[in-house]
Amino acid sequence: MQKYFLSKEHLPVTYQANEEEGSPQHLVDFVKSNPDLRKELNIFGAILFRGFNINSESEFETVVDKLVPAKMAYIDGNSPRTSLGKGVYTSTEFPSEAFITLHNELSYAYKWPRKLYFCCITPAEEGGETPLADCRKILEILPKDLINRWRNKGLKYIRNLHGGNGLGVSWQETFETSDKNKVNEILENENAIFHWNDDGQLHIEQQRDAIKNHPDTGEKIWFNQADQFHASSLGKELYDAIKLLYKGNELAFPQHCCHGDGSSISLEDLQTIHDTTDKLCVKPKWQRGDFLIVDNMLISHGRMPFKGERRVLVSMSN
């Protein structure tokens, strides 16, 4: 077994199997017999296992079942993805030409996954990397006035989910149910503000912090996905079209984010965040069979545009 780093940022720490170790079962045995891997995850935030030949959906499912008995469902998720059963999902189904900004998965929700498990079944012909950035370093580099402003004001995530016909994802897809009572129960447990419109649309507002303390290390971390929620992430042309369509009413946008007091997030702040994550992020190229474990609080992730077929799967756990 060879251990090395794929970047000067030490992200991710990588374990490369030799020929004799190159099987999914060897990966399971290695992880189970090395408790220090948890300490490494707290230090580096992401561990990549390469050369273990996890080359199919069923093999990924088997590995995750053995390593993660209690997987977390993608309930209340905002990214279009397909459930493949048993807690396995496609990583995202955003158009291939789109860049998905770096974010912490489900950081707007009351309950988020602590760990993400990615597996590359088919690497893209070009692009398609999953960029990673250390949230501790993001917080270190961001301007102090921006940090103080976001810490004091907090964030409000806004969604308007249609009932089957409209822009964005439906509430049925988001909550993996067609039962409004179940949705009500989920949102009530999350302390969300919500209401159902006469046309069947669901309006949701969730107040969250922009900065958290890591539960294991105690470190302060930049933990949110405000720039991904903000409608400007769709690009200037679409952003301008949405503002025009909804007459500038941010509360009516399919998805948006503002400060917790209702004030708009400045485009200058968002650009500073984009510039910071772009400076810090690493973009390891996927290889077929790669298995990546990410601490969802320490490391933010995204997706680069790509060409050709790309199939990356994901599971989540607490």
Side-chain angles (χ1 to χ4, degrees), residues 65 117 126 163 168-169 176 205 222 254 266 275 285 298 311:
D65 279 345
Y117 306 85
E126 180 181 325
V169 295
E176 297 186 5
E205 298 179 21
W222 183 254
S266 74
D275 291 344
K285 291 188 177 297
L298 293 179
R311 189 166 178 79

Side-chain angles (χ1 to χ4, degrees), residues 107-131:
S107 53
Y108 56 87
Y110 182 74
K111 183 179 181 181
W112 57 84
R114 284 287 311 280
K115 295 184 181 67
L116 308 175
Y117 306 85
F118 293 97
C119 181
C120 179
I121 304 302
T122 305
E125 177 184 323
E126 180 181 325
E129 299 92 345
T130 297

Side-chain angles (χ1 to χ4, degrees), residues 207-246:
Q207 299 268 164
R208 300 292 180 248
D209 295 327
I211 298 167
K212 292 279 190 185
N213 291 325
H214 191 275
D216 291 341
T217 69
E219 297 166 292
K220 290 190 180 300
I221 50 176
W222 183 254
F223 183 73
N224 62 77
Q225 53 197 99
D227 54 329
Q228 186 199 44
F229 258 70
H230 197 276
S232 64
S233 67
L234 299 171
K236 186 179 186 306
E237 186 175 337
L238 277 176
Y239 182 40
D240 289 343
I242 287 175
K243 287 193 293 183
L244 183 63
L245 179 63
Y246 293 97

